[in-house]
Amino acid sequence: MRTYIILFAALLLSSLTYSQSNRIVLLEHFSNASCGSCAYYNPQVESLINANPKLISIKYQNNWPGYDPMNLHNPTDVNVRKNVYGVNGVPHSILDGNQYNNHPFNLFQANITNRLQQATNFEMIAH
């Protein structure tokens, strides 16, 4: 009986140690207020964000191809992120840090669902 208790305790401890948390997917989206194709594709991106409660989005307003007054609030961080990912045109979407890195024309619910189904081995808790 003692052997079964020790075995059960070991299995329980190992499952707690290697348990997986629910994944949260990060979407980073680059846009510009004077970009015609951004105006066309941004509602598609917004629909994906609204349809996925486990999707967190960060939006970056670029200073090109034309004027964007929102870029004036934080141009440094926008330029850093743009350079990290090599973004050279807008609109542009990044899913989970390069799991998807392209124009949002090719970003679909299946991309997000696939990322949500991937295992994660850590958990973040907000306090």
Side-chain angles (χ1 to χ4, degrees):
M1 182 69 166
R2 181 175 174 205
T3 305
Y4 289 116
I5 293 173
I6 292 172
L7 180 60
F8 177 75
L11 289 172
L12 180 62
L13 182 59
S14 69
S15 71
L16 291 175
T17 304
Y18 295 104
S19 66
Q20 297 173 351
S21 300
N22 291 329
R23 176 176 290 281
I24 295 175
V25 176
L26 174 63
L27 172 67
E28 296 175 85
H29 183 67
F30 296 80
S31 188
N32 180 275
S34 63
C35 164
S37 63
C38 296
Y40 182 81
Y41 286 103
N42 285 349
Q44 172 189 329
V45 172
E46 202 60 36
S47 292
L48 289 171
I49 293 167
N50 292 333
N52 292 282
K54 296 279 185 177
L55 179 76
I56 303 298
S57 70
I58 302 173
K59 298 176 183 173
Y60 302 103
Q61 295 299 124
N62 288 275
N63 61 348
W64 42 262
Y67 177 70
D68 190 324
M70 294 171 278
N71 178 267
L72 299 175
H73 295 283
N74 192 11
T76 303
D77 287 341
V78 171
N79 284 331
V80 167
R81 297 309 293 172
K82 176 187 66 155
N83 291 333
V84 163
Y85 291 124
V87 174
N88 57 12
V90 292
H92 196 95
S93 296
I94 314 288
L95 195 63
D96 267 358
N98 276 337
Q99 295 298 319
Y100 176 90
N101 184 338
N102 209 333
H103 192 282
F105 173 75
N106 296 315
L107 181 62
F108 301 106
Q109 179 62 47
N111 302 97
I112 296 166
T113 301
N114 182 46
R115 291 303 302 156
L116 286 169
Q117 292 173 348
Q118 300 298 311
T120 180
N121 294 321
F122 64 92
E123 183 175 6
M124 293 174 38
I125 301 172
H127 290 282

